[in-house]
Amino acid sequence: MKAKHFIIATVASVTLATTTTSCVALATSSFGLAILKKVLLGGITKGLDVFSDKNSFLANNLIDQALPSQLRQVNSTLESLGLKSLVTQEKDYIAQAASYTVGVSRPILINAVNNLTTEDAARIAQGGSGIATQILREKTESQLIAAITPKVDEKLNQFGIVKSINTALSGSNLLGSLFGQNNSQSLLSGGLSHLASQQLVNGLFNIIQKHEEDNSVVLKNAINQNIK
């Protein structure tokens, strides 16, 4: 019986290895790369469409979840001071700034997808849920932050929200704990814009990953059909 079990286990291992090899081979083929790119590009389009519409942006839970803890603390403090309307205004202006960043974000993301390598595809084929988005993030996150932060800073200062929040929190020690004891209006300006930019980038990748996960069955079916 032991010999029989060993043979069955060996066959199963060989089958699994063959299937994995087949998946990797497919993923690194032109067909596999095309599928992966299509899914990622679909996620990018969905995310940037949300960014382009203020109401969709404000209503999207994946973007709200992306709010950095420091900015969440700022908002909680403002609300505790009876300034909930200022928080609402801040969120509205960040949503408007998001639309302003679409033009610089799109080419960075599309270029990264178009330049996915066979090594990337093999890693995606062997990885778990969300691995394609993770790889895209690794390739673009720092570039996205650098590209959109000046635009976010420009918009938030144009709206005057930075000055308003700075004035509202001038008697609080929160700014010192978040941005350093030598805080100033200019430091808050840079800090607030950077936090808002982090939210935009994190929220965008949340949407792309959700799209990837929603299409995981499509990817698996396509792979299985082409292995047969």
Side-chain angles (χ1 to χ4, degrees), residues 70-71 73-79 81 83-91 93-94 156-157 159-172 174-175 178-179 183-185 188-189 191-193 195-196:
Q70 289 175 307
L71 187 51
Q73 284 181 265
V74 168
N75 292 344
S76 295
T77 300
L78 289 171
E79 290 177 348
L81 295 172
L83 298 171
K84 186 174 182 179
S85 61
L86 187 57
V87 174
T88 300
Q89 193 176 51
E90 169 216 296
K91 292 180 177 180
Y93 290 154
I94 290 176
L156 295 187
N157 279 286
F159 294 137
I161 190 66
V162 173
K163 182 178 180 180
S164 296
I165 292 178
N166 184 65
T167 300
L169 296 177
S170 59
S172 169
L174 178 66
L175 296 182
L178 291 181
F179 301 107
N183 66 82
S184 64
Q185 182 172 331
L188 174 58
S189 171
L192 183 62
S193 299
L195 291 174

Side-chain angles (χ1 to χ4, degrees), residues 3-82:
K4 184 177 181 180
H5 288 164
F6 176 75
I7 292 173
I8 293 174
T10 301
V11 171
S13 297
V14 172
T15 301
L16 177 60
T18 302
T19 301
T20 301
T21 301
S22 299
C23 289
V24 173
L26 175 66
T28 56
S29 69
S30 58
F31 175 80
L33 278 171
I35 294 174
L36 295 171
K37 289 179 179 180
K38 183 177 181 180
V39 170
L40 284 174
L41 290 173
I44 291 168
T45 297
K46 180 173 289 187
L48 294 181
D49 282 349
V50 170
F51 274 39
S52 298
D53 182 87
K54 186 183 75 170
N55 292 329
S56 296
F57 183 94
L58 291 171
N60 194 290
N61 189 51
L62 293 173
I63 293 174
D64 183 64
Q65 291 173 9
L67 191 69
S69 59
Q70 289 175 307
L71 187 51
R72 200 176 293 277
Q73 284 181 265
V74 168
N75 292 344
S76 295
T77 300
L78 289 171
E79 290 177 348
S80 71
L81 295 172

